[in-house]
Amino acid sequence: MQSRSFFLPQILKRAVLLLFMAMAVPMFMAAPSWAKTLTIGTISANPVDETRTFQPFANYLAKSLSKDGIDAAKVVIATDIKHMVWMLKSGEADLFIDSSVTALVVNTLSGSEFMLRRWKKKRSQYRSVIFVRADSPINTLEDLKGKIIAFEEPFSTSGYMLPALTLTRRGLKLHEVATVKSSPPAETVGYIMGYDNETQATWLDRGRVDAAAMAEKDYEEFSKTSLKPLRILYFTPDVPYHVVSHRAGLDAQLVLRIKDELKSAHETEPGKTILMDFESTAKFDDIPVTLLKAVVDFQPYLNLVIVP
Amino acid sequence: MKIGLGHKIAAFTSALVFLIGAGLFSVMVYQEQVIIHDLRMQETHDHTKRISAQVEDHLYNLDIRELRRVAANILQAGGIDRLMILDEEGRLLTDGSDKPALRNKVPQFPYIQNLIHEKNNMPSMAMDGMHHWTGVAVISGDDTLLGYVVLNFSQARLDANLNANLINQLIVLIPALFLGVLASFFLGRKLARPLVAVSEVAEKIGNGDWDAVIDVASQDEVGDLARSINAMALNLSQTAVSRDKLENIVEEKTKELLWHQEELEVLVNERTQKLEESEERFRGFAESSSDWFWETDENLRTSFLSDRFEAATRLNASDVLGKTRRELTAPNALQKDPEKWQRHFDDLDSRRSFRNFEYELPAAADGNVINVSVSGVPVFDEQGVFKGYRGSGEDTTERNVTEQELRQSERKFRSIVETTAEGYWLIDSTTKETIEVNESLCRMLGYREDELLGKTPMDLVDDENAKIFKNSISQISTTDHRTYDIVMMKKDGSPLPAHIEAATIHNEDGSPRASCAFVMDISERIKTQDELRKAMEDADQANQAKSEFLASMSHELRTPLNGILGFAQLLEYDPGVPLHEKQKDKTDQIIKSGNHLLELIDQVLELSKIEAGKITVSLENLSISAVLDECVPLIITMAEKRQINLITHHEDCADAVVRADHTRLKQVFLNLMSNAVKYNREGGTITIAATVVKAGTIRIAVADTGFGIAAESFDSLFQPFERLGHESSEIEGTGIGLTITRELVRLMGGEIGFDSEVGKGSTFWVDIPEAMNVSQSSQPDVRDEEDGFALTVPVGDETKTYVALYIEDNPANLMLMEQVFEMIPNLELISTHTAELGIELARTHHPDIILMDINLPGMNGIEALGELHKLKETRDIPVLAVSAAAMPHQITEGLEKGFKAYVTKPIQVETLLSTVREILDAS
């Protein structure tokens, strides 16, 4: 990629410099101009519970950033992706913490940016599996055409987004069916939401659906108590379990400071305790390039799968 | 025992109240139990029907989330212990929990079996032990069986409800019963009280108390009886009063007389006791004193001697009583110091007091002369007439001897000080001036005695050493003994290194009086220490040279071994070119022998650790048979070459498990076995036997039929590099095997020993502790040979092709790595033989991983790593060290410099590939 530069006439250049200095001097003499409340957002249907979970962490972060002009922290809960997008765009939320694929959707729509990986429940990354009964004639993803796969729910990263995006990327077209007894068009993969892992597994067990998809860890649990032996058809790529994003236009210096504070939080005893209380978060670190790439690679297919 | 009328009435009425209350309560409880039970059963029946209606749609859709929610809500509402929703075949769909243990299983309860059998769509109920069961088949409108709903609650829960009611009722009943009993008690008391009062007063009057009056005001039969008894008692009382008054007056006067008599007796006794105490006190003083007391009459003749006299002087008191001091004194004593005696006689004649007059008494029966000291005062009567002397005496014989010994001791000390080679130095604590020195100190410092006297310590040192003296002097008041080294200055200005031991001498009040020091010339000692330090430095240098030699040797041997072992592993694992059985056996032998050679290299390195006492072992449970079975094949080829027959006997210990380090134990056995081959005769025999020598110890003996060892060589057998005359023989060896073996056996808590006879052979044995408490399930660590592993599995993301750069100057190693990487489908290897070219390749190709040898021509691997880290394009590429530099400090250094991982040569292909996979996955 080529870089561009802009050249100004010498006099104009000096005038701009003087103007900048005139504005900058009082700015540096006063308190930080962005002294304010930091807002941290997430999407949840249980706002009271989520606020209770997020607030101690938010307070800790605000305290750590007190020298950077942050005097308090507020937790904001969006009801859905659209709401969150609005919050980030309007500046109602500075940071957004959620699963990586949800974050990809929100970032794509709001212009917010990936910032850090969060080791929620001490997990760094995860992946989903698409599975069938061991005696199923389905052997490839393409064999799912004309069949029905049970997903978990529309906003589940592992139970819907990851497997659905994987299927879409493979060129398969998804078609939502009303009931398990419906028949999807022959060239599409029919899908239905079970709204529950156990329902998905039961449907597959009893032949109501042809395949199901869920997080690998959940699959391992259900495969132990399955009525019929199960077989994994496909592993989706690994993606970060949880990530932190920041809104577009958030002060770059502040973003750097937030990153520094979050990345070092687990190195102190108070920080470690706060993180553990924050849904057993082991630490925050940079999102490994390969994992970030695995998420971002789904971007072209989002509009085929996600309806915000 | 007499039971009162009131109590009898109270007991009777209480029992009546209690019986009526308890009876009514029992009837009420029984009726209530029956009603509650029936209601509960009906309620459960209805509840089951309601649940059935509630879940039928969810059962139809197999919507487990809704089924679980319904079940959880019902359970949360309470009253039910278990709720199971089953599918049409009776398999559990949910029990309300997130992870039902019986998911997809038919719960094995007789009630459920029966319910599934009957498929009844009306709720049925049953009792199973202490549980009530109720359940119903859920059937859709078209008579399709959808599943079952089964509830269960314990009889204990029902009982708990009943018990709660029972307790509530008891809480009301018990106070009511209590009040009833209380009322009965008061009623009984009320009825019986007048009769009891009449009875009590009648008893008093009978005992002579005619003043007693019955206080009963009731106008009934009891009241009449009371009033008659009161009138009778009044008449009797009036007759007895006058006689009692006279008797009282006589009795009081008698008591007064007796009191006065007792007072007088007490007074007399007190006075007598005080006199006795006073006399006792003075007798005690006299007896407890080591002195004695004496008295003379007006003619100065001894008239009294206390009891202590005879014990103190060993003279008979009778020989002294009646004599004057002049008569008692030995004649020659008077002549020794006549003036002293004259002064004493003058005192006596003048009737003056005298103190501590010392003289010798005549010899006692044992012939010893006794020195005494006496003091006395004249005694006059009330008219001032002299009545004699009175005083005390003490034996001063021992005190005189002690003083004489003290003088002798001082002479002896003086003699030591004058003759010792150490300098003696006495310094006044106040003035800090020298007050006494000996000849040795003068000689050391080159001064005369008169020159040293009066000098302070500061006059004898330079400024730097003056601080040491000042420090020592500052400690005089706090520390009695001080030791320090110092450089003093001789009279001619030359230095005198000295060691000083100083002590503080105190006054009687504890304040420091002087400082006494002994000064030693330590010039020779310092010289010796310098020589010793130099020798230590030389030894350290030699040790460093040895370490460098060992590191170099390790590196040089590992490089060719890398080729041998690496290619052998490729031969064995390559699925493209499978080996036939014989080839596989031979390859196995190459790998095993190569690995053993590698272990031996490590042993040589560890010899230095053994010498430094730094070797460690990792103890685990090992099957002795398995370890021997691993060792014997490694030695068979060697034995066959010399036609030596190998016999093993470890059947008795086939299941024996010892506590040892696997590698070290194998090393011990191989050393003993290879020695048995090497030092055997052609066509000889080696017998390897494992036996239990004592409880908890397994002995493994390796016996040969070789030359044997001469008795005079026994002591040097385990010495390092000692080969007992085989140095120039054809038998190869370093002479360190047995040394290492002995140390390893000791480290594993075992013992090693041998028996040998020249011409017949030797038996070397090791005793190893048996593992304790090895259960059947805890099998010993029998290491099966691995079946190999899949080299052809892709690394990382199988859809991506990774690029690895290998920088290695040894062609064989390069070829080996190329062949290893060829088998991995999505891994491409590029390579070069110098670090400089490698850096260039890294910049241009930007590989996903770099494998770097360390010992490279020109720029070495660590320097190359530094360069890679400096460059923007390469700083993030993970670099893996693959090196024959395998000393622990070399590995540590490599990791500290920034290598992601460090793999030592000879490489284990599996280890190398898993490390590469981990790095690629993480990056």
Side-chain angles (χ1 to χ4, degrees):
Chain A
M1 196 171 30
Q2 281 189 327
S3 62
R4 290 188 297 165
S5 61
F6 298 90
F7 297 95
L8 292 170
Q10 195 65 20
I11 294 172
L12 187 58
K13 217 173 182 180
R14 285 184 185 168
V16 169
L17 188 65
L18 281 171
L19 183 65
F20 173 76
M21 284 174 70
M23 290 170 66
V25 167
M27 189 170 76
F28 287 125
M29 289 174 73
S33 62
W34 28 261
K36 62 160 197 159
T37 299
L38 185 73
T39 46
I40 301 174
T42 191
I43 303 172
S44 173
N46 302 309
V48 176
D49 275 355
E50 286 297 321
T51 307
R52 196 175 289 133
T53 307
F54 272 62
Q55 194 61 54
F57 165 73
N59 294 343
Y60 169 80
L61 185 57
K63 194 177 170 189
S64 308
L65 296 167
S66 58
K67 289 181 183 169
D68 302 287
I70 298 297
D71 53 3
K74 188 180 165 191
V75 176
V76 290
I77 309 295
T79 49
D80 53 24
I81 286 177
K82 197 175 174 182
H83 187 190
M84 192 73 240
V85 168
W86 176 82
M87 281 181 166
L88 287 165
K89 272 185 168 177
S90 63
E92 288 286 309
D94 296 320
L95 302 180
F96 170 52
I97 301 178
D98 217 307
S99 62
S100 56
V101 178
T102 306
L104 175 68
V105 177
V106 171
N107 289 353
T108 306
L109 295 171
S110 73
S112 50
E113 293 173 31
F114 283 111
M115 192 171 165
L116 288 173
R117 172 169 63 170
R118 175 190 173 202
W119 291 53
K120 183 184 170 185
K121 294 178 185 170
K122 300 183 184 173
R123 290 177 67 187
S124 60
Q125 62 198 62
Y126 68 163
R127 60 183 176 179
S128 301
V129 292
I130 298 170
F131 57 101
V132 295
R133 276 177 20 181
D135 57 4
S136 166
I138 298 170
N139 289 314
T140 66
L141 292 181
E142 281 67 29
D143 292 343
L144 287 171
K145 283 180 185 172
K147 304 282 194 304
I148 296 179
I149 180 169
F151 291 132
E152 191 186 348
E153 58 189 347
F155 300 116
S156 164
T157 294
S158 57
Y160 172 61
M161 294 185 187
L162 261 180
L165 284 167
T166 302
L167 290 171
T168 309
R169 194 164 65 175
R170 286 287 286 252
L172 295 167
K173 194 174 176 189
L174 296 176
H175 174 87
E176 184 165 16
V177 293
T179 71
V180 291
K181 292 180 179 173
S182 309
S183 295
E187 285 308 305
T188 65
V189 178
Y191 73 91
I192 185 168
M193 297 295 172
Y195 293 97
D196 182 77
N197 287 154
E198 207 169 350
T199 301
Q200 289 173 267
T202 305
W203 283 350
L204 183 66
D205 250 353
R206 285 155 177 79
R208 300 262 180 116
V209 295
D210 303 290
M214 61 179 68
E216 184 182 14
K217 200 174 169 213
D218 295 331
Y219 166 79
E220 283 168 4
E221 282 297 315
F222 286 114
S223 63
K224 287 177 196 163
T225 55
S226 172
L227 200 58
K228 301 273 174 60
L230 302 176
R231 167 161 57 85
I232 291 177
L233 189 64
Y234 197 81
F235 288 102
T236 70
D238 272 299
V239 294
Y241 188 31
H242 245 229
V243 294
V244 184
S245 300
H246 67 83
R247 68 173 166 83
L250 188 62
D251 182 275
Q253 188 61 34
L254 181 59
V255 170
L256 284 177
R257 286 286 301 119
I258 294 170
K259 282 182 83 167
D260 285 347
E261 287 301 331
L262 289 181
K263 282 164 73 175
S264 61
H266 67 283
E267 290 165 2
T268 65
E269 273 310 312
K272 203 187 220 175
T273 309
I274 288 287
L275 291 193
M276 275 299 119
D277 291 343
F278 184 35
E279 296 174 305
S280 303
T281 301
K283 63 176 179 178
F284 289 91
D285 62 0
D286 288 319
I287 305 171
V289 177
T290 49
L291 291 183
L292 185 60
K293 186 173 178 299
V295 181
V296 175
D297 282 350
F298 285 124
Q299 201 166 27
Y301 309 98
L302 288 179
N303 59 340
L304 300 174
V305 174
I306 313 296
V307 182
Chain B
M1 194 176 89
K2 183 182 174 183
I3 299 171
L5 185 63
H7 289 104
K8 284 178 183 170
I9 295 169
F12 177 74
T13 48
S14 299
L16 202 61
V17 168
F18 190 80
L19 281 172
I20 293 167
L24 286 172
F25 179 73
S26 301
V27 170
M28 194 168 69
V29 166
Y30 174 74
Q31 278 190 335
E32 192 169 343
Q33 201 168 9
V34 170
I35 291 164
I36 287 178
H37 183 268
D38 290 348
L39 279 174
R40 174 71 176 170
M41 293 301 116
Q42 184 60 44
E43 187 187 328
T44 307
H45 183 272
D46 296 345
H47 197 35
T48 311
K49 279 176 74 177
R50 278 199 304 277
I51 295 169
S52 166
Q54 208 174 342
V55 301
E56 59 186 12
D57 284 340
H58 304 319
L59 263 177
Y60 180 81
N61 291 326
L62 281 178
D63 188 341
I64 308 298
R65 183 176 65 156
E66 285 305 310
L67 291 173
R68 184 170 58 238
R69 188 181 57 76
V70 170
N73 287 343
I74 290 164
L75 286 169
Q76 198 174 8
I80 291 171
D81 291 333
R82 184 182 285 177
L83 169 60
M84 288 181 276
I85 300 174
L86 315 173
D87 68 6
E88 72 280 7
E89 291 178 25
R91 293 179 300 236
L92 182 77
L93 291 173
T94 183
D95 59 4
S97 67
D98 286 338
K99 290 179 183 174
L102 294 173
R103 180 174 177 265
N104 278 332
K105 291 188 169 59
V106 178
Q108 296 300 308
F109 296 102
Y111 174 79
I112 292 176
Q113 304 288 341
N114 195 40
L115 183 69
I116 294 167
H117 178 69
E118 291 180 354
K119 296 183 176 52
N120 196 344
N121 67 346
M122 287 304 289
S124 65
M125 303 189 74
M127 178 91 178
D128 171 15
M130 288 304 289
H131 290 88
H132 290 279
W133 291 86
T134 177
V136 66
V138 183
I139 295 172
S140 69
D142 60 355
D143 285 340
T144 306
L145 177 62
L146 298 174
Y148 301 90
V149 172
V150 179
L151 306 177
N152 160 312
F153 62 93
S154 67
Q155 177 65 34
R157 186 186 289 276
L158 196 59
D159 290 346
N161 290 336
L162 289 170
N163 289 340
N165 279 337
L166 187 66
I167 288 166
N168 288 337
Q169 287 157 357
L170 278 175
I171 288 170
V172 176
L173 180 70
I174 288 172
L177 282 176
F178 178 73
L179 287 173
V181 170
L182 207 63
S184 306
F185 180 76
F186 279 114
L187 181 66
R189 288 267 307 229
K190 181 82 178 165
L191 289 173
R193 188 184 299 143
L195 284 173
V196 171
V198 170
S199 168
E200 283 173 357
V201 172
E203 192 176 350
K204 281 183 186 171
I205 293 168
N207 289 334
D209 181 4
W210 298 327
D211 294 332
V213 177
I214 303 169
D215 184 16
V216 176
S218 61
Q219 296 303 319
D220 53 13
E221 290 82 356
V222 179
D224 293 343
L225 179 62
R227 280 186 285 278
S228 300
I229 291 172
N230 282 346
M232 185 178 73
L234 184 65
N235 289 334
L236 285 170
S237 173
Q238 285 170 352
T239 312
V241 163
S242 51
R243 192 187 67 195
D244 289 348
K245 278 182 182 170
L246 279 172
E247 282 178 357
N248 285 342
I249 290 165
V250 171
E251 194 176 341
E252 278 173 13
K253 291 294 174 190
T254 309
K255 278 181 184 171
E256 261 179 49
L257 282 171
L258 284 171
W259 184 81
H260 284 298
Q261 186 183 352
E262 282 171 5
E263 283 290 298
L264 276 171
E265 281 176 2
V266 167
L267 204 59
V268 169
N269 285 340
E270 281 177 0
R271 296 277 165 81
T272 309
Q273 194 176 353
K274 279 181 184 170
L275 281 171
E276 284 172 357
E277 282 173 0
S278 176
E279 189 180 338
E280 184 68 23
R281 187 178 302 126
F282 283 107
R283 186 176 294 119
F285 290 155
E287 284 175 1
S288 62
S289 170
S290 60
D291 297 349
W292 65 86
F293 300 96
W294 52 265
E295 280 180 350
T296 67
D297 59 15
E298 63 276 16
N299 297 318
L300 306 178
R301 293 184 183 282
T302 307
S303 58
F304 168 78
L305 286 167
S306 68
D307 292 346
R308 280 288 307 157
F309 175 79
E310 289 190 344
T313 62
R314 295 178 294 286
L315 294 173
N316 290 324
S318 58
D319 294 340
V320 177
L321 288 169
K323 292 182 180 171
T324 64
R325 187 154 298 130
R326 192 189 300 268
E327 289 166 352
L328 284 169
T329 306
N332 55 346
L334 288 170
Q335 291 163 10
K336 271 186 191 171
D337 193 353
E339 286 179 12
K340 181 180 82 176
W341 278 102
Q342 190 53 55
R343 279 197 302 276
H344 180 59
F345 291 142
D346 288 346
D347 285 339
L348 295 177
D349 292 341
S350 306
R351 309 299 185 235
R352 287 196 295 262
S353 300
F354 57 91
R355 289 186 65 79
N356 298 330
F357 175 70
E358 292 188 16
Y359 66 101
E360 285 180 7
L361 280 175
D366 56 11
N368 291 328
V369 174
I370 295 160
N371 295 312
V372 298
S373 169
V374 292
S375 300
V377 293
V379 179
F380 299 95
D381 65 10
E382 290 173 356
Q383 286 74 39
V385 177
F386 176 68
K387 300 299 290 180
Y389 269 92
R390 181 181 292 152
S392 63
E394 65 173 319
D395 181 358
T396 59
T397 313
E398 281 186 18
R399 191 171 72 196
N400 291 346
V401 169
T402 304
E403 284 171 0
Q404 195 173 355
E405 284 173 354
L406 202 62
R407 283 192 292 275
Q408 281 176 356
S409 171
E410 193 180 342
R411 280 197 296 275
K412 196 188 293 174
F413 170 72
R414 177 65 51 195
S415 161
I416 290 168
V417 165
E418 290 304 328
T419 56
T420 181
E422 294 177 6
Y424 168 72
W425 194 5
L426 193 65
I427 301 159
D428 188 289
S429 287
T430 311
T431 64
K432 310 290 184 287
E433 288 177 352
T434 303
I435 50 178
E436 204 172 329
V437 292
N438 69 352
E439 179 57 29
S440 297
L441 186 64
C442 294
R443 195 167 50 248
M444 281 180 203
L445 294 170
Y447 286 100
R448 292 195 313 277
E449 183 178 352
D450 60 320
E451 289 174 328
L452 278 176
L453 294 177
K455 281 190 186 298
T456 69
M458 307 305 164
D459 298 333
L460 298 170
V461 290
D462 58 18
D463 290 345
E464 192 177 336
N465 285 281
K467 291 176 193 165
I468 301 174
F469 266 141
K470 278 180 185 166
N471 181 45
S472 173
I473 290 167
S474 71
Q475 294 175 7
I476 285 179
S477 57
T478 55
T479 312
D480 282 348
H481 296 281
R482 300 171 297 284
T483 304
Y484 50 95
D485 290 347
I486 194 166
V487 179
M488 297 178 74
M489 220 156 43
K490 294 183 185 176
K491 187 179 177 183
D492 60 7
S494 58
L496 174 71
H499 175 74
I500 293 183
E501 304 252 359
T504 306
I505 299 169
H506 296 280
N507 289 315
E508 284 178 3
D509 63 359
S511 60
R513 188 171 76 193
S515 186
C516 169
F518 282 93
V519 182
M520 278 165 275
D521 180 353
I522 57 171
S523 310
E524 283 301 314
R525 195 174 83 190
I526 286 180
K527 194 176 160 191
T528 309
Q529 281 174 345
D530 287 343
E531 287 169 359
L532 198 62
R533 193 176 301 116
K534 188 168 182 318
M536 287 288 286
E537 285 169 3
D538 290 346
D540 285 345
Q541 279 177 3
N543 198 33
Q544 178 67 22
K546 188 183 79 177
S547 296
E548 283 168 10
F549 165 74
L550 289 172
S552 166
M553 185 195 73
S554 162
H555 182 271
E556 293 309 317
L557 289 173
R558 280 168 187 277
T559 302
L561 257 180
N562 189 40
I564 296 168
L565 281 171
F567 283 111
Q569 288 174 75
L570 281 181
L571 275 175
E572 188 169 44
Y573 297 143
D574 189 350
V577 190
L579 301 178
H580 60 66
E581 205 54 37
K582 281 188 177 175
Q583 286 173 327
K584 195 169 186 311
D585 286 347
K586 286 169 185 167
T587 315
D588 281 346
Q589 287 306 322
I590 293 171
I591 293 172
K592 283 181 181 172
S593 301
N595 280 329
H596 182 60
L597 181 53
L598 184 61
E599 285 177 19
L600 284 179
I601 293 167
D602 291 336
Q603 285 169 17
V604 173
L605 291 175
E606 281 173 1
L607 179 62
S608 59
K609 282 190 188 174
I610 287 173
E611 287 169 349
K614 289 180 182 171
I615 197 164
T616 56
V617 292
S618 172
L619 299 182
E620 55 187 322
N621 290 357
L622 298 172
S623 158
I624 204 75
S625 303
V627 179
L628 286 172
D629 288 345
E630 278 184 73
C631 295
V632 170
L634 293 172
I635 219 75
I636 278 180
T637 313
M638 191 179 171
E640 282 174 349
K641 278 185 187 168
R642 304 194 67 211
Q643 290 88 47
I644 290 170
N645 188 23
L646 208 58
I647 302 167
T648 57
H649 290 301
H650 50 84
E651 302 82 10
D652 293 345
C653 296
D655 298 326
V657 178
V658 293
R659 193 84 186 136
D661 180 303
H662 179 261
T663 307
R664 304 303 186 195
L665 189 62
K666 203 170 140 188
Q667 186 179 344
V668 165
F669 290 166
L670 285 173
N671 182 273
L672 296 182
M673 290 177 193
S674 63
N675 279 353
V677 174
K678 286 194 286 187
Y679 298 102
N680 212 324
R681 62 185 79 248
E682 292 276 336
T685 303
I686 296 173
T687 308
I688 301 162
T691 51
V692 180
V693 278
K694 58 184 176 184
T697 304
I698 305 288
R699 170 168 291 184
I700 299 89
V702 180
D704 64 52
T705 53
F707 321 114
I709 302 159
E712 59 270 24
S713 301
F714 281 7
D715 290 341
S716 41
L717 191 62
F718 288 101
Q719 297 303 314
F721 304 108
E722 179 58 70
R723 297 203 58 210
L724 306 182
H726 291 289
E727 295 86 349
S728 54
S729 74
E730 291 178 354
I731 302 171
E732 291 177 350
T734 59
I736 59 172
L738 276 178
T739 311
I740 293 174
T741 300
R742 182 181 59 176
E743 293 306 317
L744 293 178
V745 171
R746 282 178 181 173
L747 281 168
M748 290 186 284
E751 290 177 20
I752 186 166
F754 68 98
D755 304 305
S756 187
E757 197 174 336
V758 174
K760 289 192 173 176
S762 309
T763 300
F764 281 82
W765 49 263
V766 289
D767 288 349
I768 303 291
E770 201 168 1
M772 303 300 288
N773 302 325
V774 179
S775 66
Q776 286 297 81
S777 57
S778 164
Q779 288 302 312
D781 180 11
V782 180
R783 287 159 190 249
D784 294 331
E785 292 301 325
E786 291 179 1
D787 294 332
F789 57 97
L791 281 177
T792 54
V793 174
V795 295
D797 180 355
E798 62 185 85
T799 60
K800 181 185 168 184
T801 299
Y802 292 89
V803 176
L805 167 63
Y806 185 32
I807 307 171
E808 167 66 83
D809 64 321
N810 185 300
N813 290 340
L814 201 52
M815 198 165 94
L816 170 66
M817 199 64 80
E818 280 167 356
Q819 293 194 15
V820 168
F821 277 49
E822 262 174 24
M823 296 182 199
I824 300 162
N826 63 338
L827 194 55
E828 184 189 325
L829 185 73
I830 54 174
S831 61
T832 181
H833 63 286
T834 68
E836 291 80 357
L837 285 173
I839 293 166
E840 194 52 37
L841 274 175
R843 290 182 64 174
T844 52
H845 286 69
H846 201 268
D848 296 289
I849 186 170
I850 298 172
L851 289 81
M852 175 90 75
D853 185 19
I854 301 235
N855 198 6
L856 290 164
M859 185 188 288
N860 68 30
I862 290 177
E863 290 165 347
L865 179 70
E867 290 301 315
L868 287 168
H869 282 173
K870 283 181 198 165
L871 296 170
K872 190 181 171 188
E873 307 95 299
T874 57
R875 70 172 56 136
D876 295 330
I877 303 174
V879 185
L880 165 65
V882 182
S883 173
M887 299 289 277
H889 70 271
Q890 293 168 323
I891 296 171
T892 308
E893 186 193 352
L895 293 173
E896 283 173 356
K897 293 286 181 188
F899 283 111
K900 278 280 174 195
Y902 199 109
V903 174
T904 57
K905 295 173 187 170
I907 58 161
Q908 296 295 322
V909 177
E910 186 176 4
T911 309
L912 174 77
L913 285 182
S914 24
T915 311
V916 169
R917 278 178 206 285
E918 277 173 23
I919 291 173
L920 287 177
D921 287 347
S923 65

